[in-house]
Amino acid sequence: MIGRFGEYGGQFVPETLMAALAELDDAFNAARMDDAFQNQFVDLSAHFTGRPTPLYFASRLTEFCGGAKIYLKREDLAHTGAHKINNALGQGLLAKRMGKTRIVAETGAGQHGVASAAVCAMLGLECIVYMGTEDMRRQAPNVYRMKLLGAEVRGVDAGSATLKDAINEAIRDWVTNVQTTHYLLGSALGPHPYPTMVREFQAVIGHEARAQMLATEKRLPDLLIACVGGGSNSIGLFHAFRDDDVAMIGVEAGGLGIASGKHAARFAEARPGVLHGTYTYVLQDDDGQVRATHSVSAGLDYPAVGPEHAHLFDTERVGYTYATDDEALNAFHQLARLEGILPALESAHAVAEAIKRAREMPRDEIVLVNLSGRGDKDLQTVMSASGEQ
């Protein structure tokens, strides 16, 4: 069924959005087959985004763990500092092709907001970014970066004032202004065609990593690891390896621990439901209401997950686990001191799992971690957690 991953996905939206989703689906499918669009996307990916991003052997982290070799796919070195630019560029070009003049976007950690603002500036599109006020407090440097790039950042005080609430407001704006506006959704979630479209724009991560690993090691890795909030960086890495004999692990935000209830580990409780137009796993209370979440990383602080991940969980093609706030912070410091790299706190969740796993694996095996973003934006959070402010 179109737009479904097993039983997950679909289009659970107001009737007023169905025509817009159909228009977007048609435009995306036409663009996929259009050499001119694809050539423009590839050209700007090279000269605006800076692709391909490097594959880096983390020799000192590998030595520290004493087991499998650890490689990092350096999406933190892409323009604007995260993998988010891949999807923002693709959707920005699509919006321009559709004749839209106005972009609305949401952001949690600010990485998608900065990427959207940068692409809109480059393409000459108006850009409105919705962001929870709690996330604006945690990610103040990215708020300023978006404004510098010409975007209007609209704070959202509703609910927990985080990513879920920002998405609510972006969808409301889109419903009201659908004739002129494209909703540049930042992750592989929401109603069809967004989960498929975002995955396709992010699949460049996995295709590059696969070719780079074959060129470097003459073989594929044994294990892929990536953090999972909405799930765009992880699905972008995993997709190219889906038919290979390669294990895959997605790492959710364990927050203060599952028993505390203050986390964003959707698969730890595994209750399906509908949120933001798609059927997937959603953190819920006993009455079926969407629960508040907690994570030290704003980009993972979301109560649902992309529907393709839900299907991969059910079919056990991908294993899902979580790292707590403390484990992510420890991994942040270890990667900084051993490799000279400040990872985004989102990515630090994946690094934490890599440290655990590599220690238990033979030295001739390989772990590939997607370093989805850089940690400059998280310095205020890290300083606070370290008692340095």
Side-chain angles (χ1 to χ4, degrees), residues 141 245 251 268 319:
D245 184 19
V251 186

Side-chain angles (χ1 to χ4, degrees), residues 16 20 34 48 61 93 117 171 244 272 280 284 295 307 314 345 361 378:
T16 49
D34 184 344
F48 182 72
L61 183 63
L93 291 173
I171 291 174
D244 297 315
T280 185
Q284 305 165 54
S295 173
D314 278 7
L345 283 175
M361 297 168 64
D378 295 315

Side-chain angles (χ1 to χ4, degrees), residues 9 45 49 97 112 136 197 206 261 286 300 367:
S45 293
T49 302
R97 179 185 172 99
H112 174 59
M136 291 178 72
M197 181 171 64
D286 291 340
L300 302 185
V367 175

Side-chain angles (χ1 to χ4, degrees), residues 15-33:
E15 191 172 347
T16 49
L17 281 183
M18 290 304 292
L21 288 172
E23 178 192 23
L24 179 60
D25 193 26
D26 290 344
F28 172 60
N29 287 321
R32 293 171 77 177
M33 307 303 292

Side-chain angles (χ1 to χ4, degrees), residues 45-93:
S45 293
H47 299 105
F48 182 72
T49 302
R51 304 208 72 86
T53 58
L55 181 72
Y56 172 73
F57 174 47
S59 60
R60 280 175 42 78
L61 183 63
T62 296
E63 182 182 356
F64 171 77
C65 294
K69 298 171 74 171
I70 300 174
Y71 280 85
L72 306 176
K73 178 60 174 166
R74 298 290 309 274
E75 290 300 294
D76 58 313
L77 296 181
H79 179 43
T80 68
H83 73 292
K84 293 292 187 181
I85 190 72
N86 305 318
N87 170 56
L89 176 60
Q91 287 199 49
L93 291 173

Side-chain angles (χ1 to χ4, degrees), residues 10-308:
Q11 293 177 319
F12 297 85
V13 297
E15 191 172 347
T16 49
L17 281 183
M18 290 304 292
L21 288 172
E23 178 192 23
L24 179 60
D25 193 26
D26 290 344
F28 172 60
N29 287 321
R32 293 171 77 177
M33 307 303 292
D34 184 344
D35 288 343
F37 179 88
Q38 293 299 329
N39 290 338
Q40 186 180 22
F41 180 63
V42 169
D43 180 70
L44 287 172
S45 293
H47 299 105
F48 182 72
T49 302
R51 304 208 72 86
T53 58
L55 181 72
Y56 172 73
F57 174 47
S59 60
R60 280 175 42 78
L61 183 63
T62 296
E63 182 182 356
F64 171 77
C65 294
K69 298 171 74 171
I70 300 174
Y71 280 85
L72 306 176
K73 178 60 174 166
R74 298 290 309 274
E75 290 300 294
D76 58 313
L77 296 181
H79 179 43
T80 68
H83 73 292
K84 293 292 187 181
I85 190 72
N86 305 318
N87 170 56
L89 176 60
Q91 287 199 49
L93 291 173
L94 198 57
K96 193 89 174 177
R97 179 185 172 99
M98 294 165 63
K100 305 294 183 181
T101 58
R102 183 174 180 270
I103 296 292
V104 293
E106 84 299 325
T107 195
Q111 293 169 315
H112 174 59
V114 171
S116 298
V119 167
C120 286
M122 186 265 290
L123 295 176
L125 296 168
E126 181 184 2
C127 184
I128 311 294
V129 180
Y130 289 90
M131 189 172 191
T133 50
E134 170 60 16
D135 290 338
M136 291 178 72
R137 181 189 64 77
R138 292 192 287 184
Q139 304 290 342
N142 270 344
V143 174
Y144 189 59
R145 290 171 72 195
M146 284 183 264
K147 292 178 178 176
L148 285 174
L149 292 164
E152 178 187 345
V153 183
R154 295 184 180 176
V156 179
D157 284 321
S160 57
T162 58
L163 180 59
K164 168 178 69 69
D165 312 293
I167 293 175
N168 289 341
E169 290 305 314
I171 291 174
R172 288 191 184 99
D173 187 316
W174 189 31
V175 170
T176 306
N177 302 288
V178 70
Q179 294 300 320
T180 61
T181 300
H182 172 67
Y183 177 21
L184 207 168
L185 183 54
S187 196
L189 47 82
H192 176 75
Y194 281 105
T196 300
M197 181 171 64
V198 175
R199 181 196 69 200
E200 291 300 303
F201 288 134
Q202 293 292 2
V204 64
I205 301 171
H207 291 303
E208 280 182 12
R210 194 177 189 283
Q212 290 167 325
M213 187 60 70
L214 288 171
T216 303
E217 289 280 351
K218 314 301 181 192
R219 52 166 293 204
L220 295 178
D222 298 282
L223 175 63
L224 308 179
I225 300 177
C227 65
V228 182
S232 65
N233 91 90
S234 46
I235 208 70
L237 175 67
F238 295 164
H239 190 61
F241 297 87
R242 63 193 184 283
D243 297 324
D244 297 315
D245 184 19
V246 174
M248 306 180 189
I249 298 289
V251 186
E252 299 183 285
L256 303 183
I258 303 305
S260 72
K262 295 182 177 179
H263 61 83
R266 294 66 48 103
F267 293 120
E269 301 188 7
R271 291 184 64 187
V274 172
L275 183 64
H276 294 142
T278 195
Y279 181 65
T280 185
Y281 284 101
V282 182
L283 285 176
Q284 305 165 54
D285 63 19
D286 291 340
D287 297 321
Q289 298 298 311
V290 177
R291 250 178 38 206
T293 54
H294 164 82
S295 173
V296 71
S297 59
L300 302 185
D301 201 353
Y302 181 64
V305 64
E308 189 167 3

Side-chain angles (χ1 to χ4, degrees), residues 327-385:
E327 289 171 331
L329 286 163
N330 287 336
F332 178 96
H333 288 294
Q334 285 173 322
L335 194 64
R337 290 169 182 168
L338 290 170
E339 298 290 350
I341 297 170
L342 298 179
L345 283 175
E346 290 79 9
S347 314
H349 286 69
V351 176
E353 182 66 16
I355 291 172
K356 288 182 195 173
R357 296 272 178 166
R359 286 173 170 161
E360 300 169 353
M361 297 168 64
R363 290 176 181 270
D364 62 349
E365 293 194 348
I366 297 171
V367 175
L368 171 57
V369 180
N370 195 31
L371 206 67
S372 58
R374 70 186 188 209
D376 310 53
K377 67 184 180 57
D378 295 315
L379 293 184
Q380 187 175 351
T381 300
V382 174
M383 289 171 66
S384 178

